[in-house]
């Protein structure tokens, strides 16, 4: 009797833990879906945002949007739906962090190498992102057992499937983190050198421009931390599960699904809500809001006249010269 009671209690606790994980994951994904959808909507509504640099942000937001959407669509009831659901979720989540590497590449080529041909890489970017995402997703399906209900029904059986998971998702993920970090380090070093040169020049306008670029980069320089913050706990959880199969750490799983699910929200705030977007929104509000509401928004005029001194402007200006 006692073993049966203990087994029943363990099953009940496992179900409660699963419900909590589902709720945390779904809530985080819903926030990311809202944030990425907002960026997509801005791109579609505001024609002035349809420049090459923001187009990369748009495809990043699209990937985040579908990654979040398929994460929310958990609990498939049949094997085929389960296959399609997880196939799509993995595909778009991988595509999301791959798009960040194209933004880093564009930034590096424009600012460090002073090249103006970044738009010529558009087709290559699509082939690289979507092709790599598809290849890793197909490879990931090897050794997986589809058909079990749950938020993630891509059940890994044995060490081989877990190794494939690490290779097809976390290996390109941390490769992207290292590449982005190295790229932003290179750009930061170049801007620091330009700052030191400007200090030795009496031309105040040059000093002002360099300080503006440096200020802009101080914001962009933290962007590699988005991927680290989103996936650090998930990586630790996967490695722990690989080393200690069957022994789950509940609080680590909570941090795993919570922060990973928020990646789209973090990306939409960091990459999408720049001065161009804020100014475009302010201009539309100025056109359609009644005058009495405009007076109650003292920041509206400031947003309208705000100069584009974010790093996106460096990319756009260089690519258009």
């Amino acid at each position: 009797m006692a073993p049966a009671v203990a087994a029943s209690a363990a099953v009940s606790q496992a179900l409660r833990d699963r419900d909590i994980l589902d709720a945390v994951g779904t809530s985080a994904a819903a926030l990311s879906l809202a944030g990425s959808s907002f960026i997509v909507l801005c791109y579609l509504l505001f024609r002035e945002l349809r420049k090459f640099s923001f187009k990369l942000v748009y495809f990043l937001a699209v990937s985040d949007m579908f990654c979040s959407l398929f994460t929310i669509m958990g609990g498939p009831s049949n094997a085929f739906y389960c296959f399609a659901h997880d196939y799509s979720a993995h595909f778009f989540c991988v595509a999301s962090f791959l798009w960040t590497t194209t933004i880093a590449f564009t930034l590096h080529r424009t600012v460090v190498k002073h090249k103006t041909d970044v738009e010529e890489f558009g087709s290559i970017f699509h082939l690289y992102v979507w092709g790599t995402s598809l290849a890793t997703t197909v490879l990931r399906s090897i050794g997986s057992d589809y058909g079990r209900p749950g938020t993630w029904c891509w059940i890994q059986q044995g060490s081989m499937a877990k190794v494939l998971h690490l290779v097809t998702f976390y290996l390109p993920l941390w490769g992207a983190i290292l590449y982005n970090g190295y790229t932003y380090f290179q750009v930061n070093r170049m801007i620091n050198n330009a700052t030191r040169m400007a200090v030795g020049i009496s031309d105040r306008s040059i000093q002002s421009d360099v300080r503006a670029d440096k200020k802009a980069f101080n914001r962009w320089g933290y962007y590699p931390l988005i991927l680290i913050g989103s996936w650090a706990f998930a990586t630790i959880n996967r490695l722990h599960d690989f080393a200690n199969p069957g022994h789950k750490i509940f609080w680590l799983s909570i941090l795993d699904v919570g922060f990973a699910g928020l990646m789209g929200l973090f990306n939409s705030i960091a990459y999408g809500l720049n001065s161009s977007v804020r100014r475009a929104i302010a201009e539309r509000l100025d056109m359609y809001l009644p005058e009495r509401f405009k007076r109650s928004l003292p920041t509206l005029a400031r947003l309208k006249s705000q100069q584009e001194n974010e790093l996106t402007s460096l990319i756009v200006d260089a690519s258009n010269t």
Side-chain angles (χ1 to χ4, degrees):
M1 177 66 71
V5 173
S8 177
V11 171
S12 298
Q13 183 62 44
L15 291 175
R16 284 195 294 270
D17 291 348
R18 184 70 221 182
D19 289 340
I20 294 174
L21 288 174
D22 287 346
V24 171
T26 300
S27 299
L31 291 174
S32 290
L33 178 62
S36 55
S37 298
F38 174 77
I39 300 303
V40 170
L41 186 63
C42 287
Y43 179 85
L44 297 177
L45 291 179
F46 304 146
R47 187 179 298 274
E48 61 268 31
L49 295 178
R50 298 175 192 175
K51 300 174 182 178
F52 181 75
S53 58
F54 199 78
K55 186 177 294 185
L56 299 179
V57 176
Y58 164 74
F59 285 114
L60 169 63
V62 168
S63 299
D64 283 330
M65 185 176 68
F66 282 105
C67 175
S68 302
L69 178 63
F70 284 109
T71 299
I72 294 172
M73 293 169 55
S77 58
N78 61 73
F80 174 79
Y81 186 87
C82 185
F83 177 86
H85 158 252
D86 283 319
Y87 202 97
S88 303
H90 184 272
F91 177 88
F92 285 108
C93 288
V94 171
S96 172
F97 58 74
L98 291 182
W99 277 116
T100 67
T101 65
T102 68
I103 296 173
F105 173 86
T106 302
L107 173 66
H108 183 270
R109 188 168 181 83
T110 303
V111 178
V112 177
K113 294 189 175 182
H114 304 289
K115 300 291 185 179
T116 60
D117 59 349
V118 287
E119 293 194 36
E120 298 177 8
F121 288 86
S123 299
I124 298 176
F125 287 164
H126 283 285
L127 181 62
Y128 154 68
V129 172
W130 305 125
T132 303
S133 300
L134 180 60
T136 59
T137 305
V138 172
L139 185 60
R140 164 80 187 277
S141 66
I142 300 175
S144 298
D145 179 22
Y146 296 98
R148 180 174 172 179
T151 301
W152 289 94
C153 53
W154 215 331
I155 306 302
Q156 300 165 328
Q157 301 292 344
S159 58
M160 181 59 183
K162 294 179 180 180
V163 169
L164 283 173
H165 188 190
L166 293 174
V167 169
T168 59
F169 190 88
Y170 290 94
L171 184 61
L173 167 66
W174 284 95
I177 290 172
L178 292 175
Y179 175 77
N180 290 354
Y182 172 77
T183 299
Y184 287 110
F185 170 77
Q186 291 285 318
V187 176
N188 188 41
R189 186 172 65 175
M190 192 219 70
I191 294 180
N192 282 332
N193 291 337
T195 302
R196 286 193 292 268
M197 291 177 60
V199 170
I201 300 175
S202 59
D203 191 334
R204 294 184 178 274
S205 63
I206 297 178
Q207 295 182 25
S208 177
D209 290 341
V210 173
R211 289 195 194 99
D213 294 343
K214 179 63 178 176
K215 182 179 179 181
F217 184 78
N218 285 337
R219 179 170 179 260
W220 281 71
Y222 291 106
Y223 288 4
L225 298 179
I226 294 175
L227 287 178
I228 297 177
S230 298
W231 294 103
F233 294 111
T235 303
I236 296 172
N237 202 18
R238 296 293 88 73
L239 293 175
H240 176 269
D241 181 60
F242 183 79
N244 301 279
H247 179 65
K248 301 291 185 182
I249 302 178
F250 182 64
W251 64 266
L252 184 58
S253 297
I254 289 286
L255 295 174
D256 174 355
V257 300
F259 279 91
L262 289 172
M263 179 181 67
L265 178 64
F266 295 152
N267 283 336
S268 63
I269 294 174
Y271 288 95
L273 291 180
N274 54 41
S275 60
S276 297
V277 175
R278 295 194 297 269
R279 189 168 58 251
I281 294 174
E283 289 173 353
R284 297 312 187 279
L285 291 176
D286 185 61
M287 289 173 58
Y288 298 110
L289 277 180
E291 193 64 34
R292 62 178 182 275
F293 290 113
K294 294 179 187 178
R295 288 193 295 268
S296 64
L297 296 174
T299 60
L300 190 60
R302 180 175 59 83
L303 287 174
K304 281 179 58 185
S305 61
Q306 180 178 323
Q307 293 297 317
E308 173 105 23
N309 72 359
E310 305 207 18
L311 211 53
T312 301
S313 66
L314 297 177
I315 300 173
V316 175
D317 292 343
S319 63
N320 288 336
T321 56

